[in-house]
Amino acid sequence: MSKNKIKYGDLPLLPHDIPKIFTDCLVTNKSGELGFSHKFMVWKGGRGSTKSQSAATILLAIMNSMQSPCKILCLRELNKTTKDSLHEMFVRLISGAKMDSFYTVTNEKIVNRINKVEIVFAGAREKGEGSQNKESILNAIKSTTNIRYIWFEESQYISQRALDIIIPSARSTNISLTKDYVLMLKKMGYDLDEGTDIAKDVGFLFTLNPILPEDDVVKYVKFYGDKAKILHVNILDVEERFQNKDLLNTMEAERLANHPHFGHKWLGEPLSDMDLGMFKHEYFKRSIYPDKCDSYFIGLDVAVSNNKKSDKTGIVVIGKKIRKDYNKLDGYDNRFDYFVLEDCTGRYHPNEWGQKIDELYHKYDNPTVVVETNQGGDLLSQNIRNFNKYINIREVKAVKNKVTRAEPVSSLYALGRVFHVCDTREIEQQLLRFSTSGYQAPDSPDNADALVWAITEAMKGSSIEIFTTDNN
């Protein structure tokens, strides 16, 4: 693809004018097809910068310029919010430009009737993570062929697991290898079919307002060096005609009022340590699998429903073990270490999570299952009993909010007494978003909730203050 810059406002079938800072990210190839100047594009910044509107507009223009069928995926961490917002945004752009006759619009995708290019909407969260007989949305994306571009909207909430799976697996041709991976295999001496087409690589666009000092997306993209371009754009960085006057008035009012999240909301600055002070990266310590623990606890936070739009059922196993170097003079708080042994969180049918608890009971030595009964009541314990009547069950009720319940667990982490043994990236991402002003993400921290319940029960008897969370 040549580096011929697109002239401002010269995009084919462009439904709306957009700021120059975004059109400057585009190039054309010899066939006149539009594309991004870099494989990885990151547009980050505060509210009102038109990041999402510009992304949708440009992807429509790219779609219209294509000369052969392909797919453009639009993703968010949650499938339901993608369809509620991104799909509607594209439809508004098309209708506003009176371009409806060019497209076939369904709930799942938008198809250009001329070149058969598709814009497909999906979520990046797994539909059944932790459940072996449920195909995940991520695996469905892995099986999709002929992808040219993937847009991650609000990618501050995209999980590291989604990045690890989707990016290396996105297919630009009929093979499941990206161009870079194929080239790497060639250098290693592996032969590839002569007819393999690796010319059309997959491009990625991320739009976000960062929460952490360096979000997973930014760290991931920086790894690719000059193949990545990162823009920081705020409302005052775009031309005046694109600045929404009502938003400008609101921004100025919040600046004068010293709104605590002004920098994050309007300038795209990460939330401060004070906002995200409950858990820090340095709190998370790795450990090899410990010898036999003294006791085991399974945190169970059951989702109300079981469908692709519902929350997940949190299932986390904790081991509690007395420290070998424990000195009574250190105080009772330092007597035990806690190990996060397994995270089985996923979307389950009641029979599936009941069976999973039974499996974990036989895997570990007489664990205590800590089940939150705010929704489901006695039926949750009964479901466990249907699979194993010998399991020790501790029923708890959430009478404090999530942040308050997590405070004593945060203290344990700060003391260096919690160790992560299994893959805990999802848990860590969620814990980092616990702030003094609430949980800073749109979806429920199911993994972290289960962990908090299990560790809270395991802590009983410690001198660290534990808020009353049950009805006994």
Side-chain angles (χ1 to χ4, degrees):
M1 184 171 285
S2 65
K3 297 289 183 175
N4 299 322
K5 290 290 183 180
I6 300 300
K7 293 181 180 179
Y8 189 56
D10 194 30
L11 303 179
L13 293 178
L14 184 65
H16 292 282
D17 196 12
I18 59 175
K20 186 176 184 296
I21 192 170
F22 298 120
T23 58
D24 281 348
C25 297
L26 289 170
V27 294
T28 53
N29 62 16
K30 294 180 180 179
S31 301
E33 292 181 331
L34 291 174
F36 289 108
S37 59
H38 295 69
K39 176 175 180 175
F40 296 96
M41 301 295 303
V42 177
W43 299 348
K44 62 188 183 78
R47 188 179 178 191
S49 59
T50 75
K51 297 185 300 295
S52 299
Q53 180 91 356
S54 298
T57 301
I58 283 178
L59 289 175
L60 270 178
I62 289 175
M63 177 193 207
N64 297 333
S65 73
M66 292 295 173
Q67 299 187 14
S68 59
C70 63
K71 294 183 179 68
I72 298 172
L73 298 187
C74 297
L75 305 179
R76 263 187 176 174
E77 187 75 355
L78 292 175
N79 195 0
K80 59 184 179 182
T81 56
T82 303
K83 293 179 180 177
D84 290 344
S85 60
L86 296 187
H87 183 279
E88 182 182 351
M89 184 184 300
F90 279 95
V91 171
R92 285 201 311 268
L93 288 173
I94 291 170
S95 298
K98 302 187 185 309
M99 295 164 54
D100 304 75
S101 60
F102 288 96
Y103 305 94
T104 299
V105 179
T106 67
N107 290 332
E108 302 293 332
K109 60 186 178 181
I110 297 172
V111 183
N112 185 305
R113 294 177 178 175
I114 299 174
N115 57 18
K116 308 304 180 186
V117 176
E118 301 178 9
I119 294 180
V120 182
F121 303 91
R125 270 185 68 179
E126 293 190 323
K127 185 168 61 176
E129 185 180 355
S131 177
Q132 295 180 354
N133 63 346
K134 295 284 187 180
E135 183 187 28
S136 70
I137 292 176
L138 292 177
N139 287 332
I141 293 170
K142 286 175 65 178
S143 66
T144 302
T145 61
N146 208 19
I147 298 172
R148 286 297 301 276
Y149 292 98
I150 298 181
W151 174 24
F152 291 85
E153 164 67 344
E154 290 193 354
S155 54
Q156 67 268 31
Y157 301 124
I158 293 290
S159 67
Q160 182 65 48
R161 177 169 172 77
L163 292 171
D164 289 341
I165 294 178
I166 292 176
I167 289 180
S169 304
R171 292 171 150 193
S172 58
T173 66
N174 290 326
I175 60 172
S176 60
L177 302 177
T178 61
K179 179 181 177 182
D180 292 340
Y181 192 55
V182 171
L183 292 176
M184 182 188 75
L185 292 178
K186 280 187 173 181
K187 290 179 180 179
M188 294 173 64
Y190 289 91
D191 292 327
L192 298 171
D193 295 336
E194 292 183 0
T196 299
D197 177 13
I198 60 172
K200 295 182 178 180
D201 205 357
V202 180
F204 298 88
L205 171 63
F206 302 89
T207 53
L208 68 152
N209 187 357
I211 291 178
L212 304 176
E214 192 165 69
D215 284 84
D216 286 326
V217 164
V218 176
K219 288 189 292 186
Y220 194 103
V221 166
K222 281 185 176 179
F223 175 79
Y224 287 87
D226 58 6
K227 292 185 179 181
K229 183 174 184 178
I230 301 174
L231 296 178
H232 193 106
V233 186
N234 296 318
I235 188 170
L236 297 178
D237 297 322
V238 300
E239 292 88 338
E240 185 176 352
R241 66 181 182 277
F242 298 112
Q243 298 173 5
N244 183 290
K245 298 300 186 291
D246 290 336
L247 289 181
L248 285 174
N249 291 335
T250 302
M251 181 179 75
E252 178 63 11
E254 293 187 358
R255 183 188 70 81
L256 294 174
N258 291 318
H259 189 285
H261 293 164
F262 175 83
H264 171 67
K265 181 177 180 181
W266 296 104
L267 305 181
E269 297 174 353
L271 289 171
S272 67
D273 287 340
M274 183 176 297
D275 294 316
L276 290 173
M278 292 183 64
F279 296 89
K280 294 181 172 59
H281 280 288
E282 55 265 30
Y283 289 178
F284 304 136
K285 300 181 182 298
R286 303 296 303 176
S287 172
I288 60 174
Y289 201 92
D291 295 333
K292 182 178 173 62
C293 292
D294 300 307
S295 53
Y296 297 91
F297 302 83
I298 301 173
L300 176 61
D301 187 15
V302 179
V304 178
S305 58
N306 175 42
N307 57 64
K308 64 182 181 180
K309 294 184 178 182
S310 66
D311 293 331
K312 293 182 290 186
T313 291
I315 303 177
V316 176
V317 182
I318 301 296
K320 179 180 179 180
K321 184 178 177 64
I322 194 167
R323 293 175 53 184
K324 293 181 180 179
D325 59 348
Y326 166 65
N327 186 326
K328 290 184 178 181
L329 297 178
D330 291 339
Y332 196 83
D333 281 347
N334 292 324
R335 185 179 180 186
F336 294 102
D337 283 333
Y338 302 82
F339 298 87
V340 184
L341 303 176
E342 201 162 343
D343 182 6
C344 303
T345 299
R347 288 191 175 85
Y348 296 96
H349 183 275
N351 285 339
E352 291 176 323
W353 65 253
Q355 184 177 9
K356 174 60 68 174
I357 295 298
D358 182 50
E359 291 174 3
L360 294 173
Y361 172 83
H362 288 93
K363 183 175 181 178
Y364 298 96
D365 184 16
N366 192 29
T368 297
V369 177
V370 187
V371 55
E372 193 223 303
T373 59
N374 285 57
Q375 301 188 60
D378 296 338
L379 294 177
L380 302 180
S381 295
Q382 185 58 50
N383 188 52
I384 299 173
R385 301 284 188 210
N386 290 339
F387 289 89
N388 189 326
K389 64 181 181 180
Y390 300 106
I391 293 180
N392 179 30
I393 300 174
R394 173 69 164 169
E395 294 183 355
V396 294
K397 284 188 179 294
V399 297
K400 301 284 185 180
N401 62 45
K402 294 180 186 296
V403 171
T404 304
R405 295 201 304 270
E407 285 176 354
V409 177
S410 173
S411 298
L412 268 188
Y413 272 91
L415 290 169
R417 292 173 50 202
V418 182
F419 298 88
H420 292 177
V421 178
C422 64
D423 184 350
T424 54
R425 286 175 294 180
E426 293 284 346
I427 291 174
E428 290 173 11
Q429 276 195 334
Q430 293 172 8
L431 291 178
L432 286 170
R433 292 185 170 108
F434 276 83
S435 76
T436 54
S437 57
Y439 182 67
Q440 302 296 324
D443 54 334
S444 176
D446 310 293
N447 313 58
D449 279 345
L451 174 135
V452 168
W453 285 123
I455 292 183
T456 299
E457 182 65 24
M459 287 171 62
K460 290 187 174 179
S462 166
S463 60
I464 291 181
E465 180 183 3
I466 301 176
F467 296 97
T468 303
T469 55
D470 58 65
N471 60 342
N472 294 323

